[in-house]
Amino acid sequence: SIGTNDLIQYTLAIDRTDEAVAHLYDPLHPAVLRLLAQIIQTARKAEIPVAICGELAGDPQMARLLLGMGLRQFSMHPTQLLEVKQQIVMADTEQLATKVARILRLDEPERIREQVEKLLESDGALRVRADHDAAAGDKPSRGRGEDRFQLAAAAADKDPVRVRQASEGRRC
């Protein structure tokens, strides 16, 4: 499992809690995206499952980008599950893979941002809000084995996508 918060921080040598440099913390930095894509591709070739956890995994805007990189396992806070699921269910992973390959060739973070935004507007993707979480005050059930939510959604390439709740007490 790739912990994206630390990966980004270490890759960019930026402490996101240090106000002097926190503005430089950028999940869409070309080095970060290429590193993630390389890890995902290498793991798939070696038939090693790879998952992403951290803020990036639960960001619905990033879900389509990560799907296009070949990621099929996400771990996140339960309040983020429905939004990310919405993006996964609506995704055409073959089209996303082609578009993401072009994005990964870009060197300018602003151009990357523009293209990631276009991913959200293409292929019928919907933008969804998290109002339901805060308004409903929903809490995950804590019964035996229920602290992990699993969702399998068939993607266009018939490769199942798994989304699960990050376990409490487990650092990511």
Side-chain angles (χ1 to χ4, degrees):
S1 186
I2 303 167
T4 57
N5 298 343
D6 289 342
L7 178 89
I8 295 165
Q9 188 168 306
Y10 297 140
T11 301
L12 300 179
I14 294 169
D15 181 357
R16 62 190 182 137
T17 63
D18 181 345
E19 290 181 25
V21 293
H23 66 281
L24 299 171
Y25 182 90
D26 185 6
L28 292 177
H29 189 284
V32 172
L33 295 182
R34 289 182 188 131
L35 181 57
L36 285 170
Q38 185 177 19
I39 293 167
I40 293 165
Q41 289 170 2
T42 303
R44 285 191 86 166
K45 286 179 186 171
E47 298 181 11
I48 297 170
V50 63
I52 286 188
C53 60
E55 291 176 20
L56 205 61
D59 184 341
Q61 294 183 340
M62 298 301 292
R64 296 172 66 76
L65 178 69
L66 295 168
L67 285 168
M69 287 182 189
L71 184 71
R72 297 297 182 265
Q73 293 186 34
F74 298 74
S75 178
M76 68 200 63
H77 190 274
T79 60
Q80 299 165 314
L81 287 170
L82 293 177
E83 289 182 274
V84 173
K85 175 185 174 182
Q86 182 80 34
Q87 295 298 323
I88 290 169
V89 169
M90 299 192 67
D92 178 335
T93 54
E94 286 182 21
Q95 285 185 4
L96 286 173
T98 302
K99 292 175 182 181
V100 169
R102 285 193 296 258
I103 290 172
L104 292 173
R105 289 192 293 269
L106 298 173
D107 290 324
E108 302 165 24
E110 283 311 310
R111 279 284 287 142
I112 291 171
R113 250 178 254 309
E114 290 170 12
Q115 295 305 310
V116 169
E117 189 68 29
K118 286 182 182 180
L119 283 180
L120 292 171
E121 297 164 359
S122 66
D123 307 322
L126 293 179
R127 292 178 190 248
V128 290
R129 301 278 180 234
D131 311 35
H132 59 275
D133 310 327
D138 290 337
K139 302 264 189 237
S141 60
R142 300 293 303 162
R144 201 173 90 228
E146 292 175 348
D147 61 339
R148 284 184 158 173
F149 294 121
Q150 293 253 359
L151 159 74
D157 60 3
K158 306 298 182 228
D159 197 2
V161 178
R162 299 197 192 317
V163 181
R164 71 166 190 221
Q165 172 189 331
S167 299
E168 285 189 36
R170 181 174 161 205
R171 188 174 182 280
C172 184

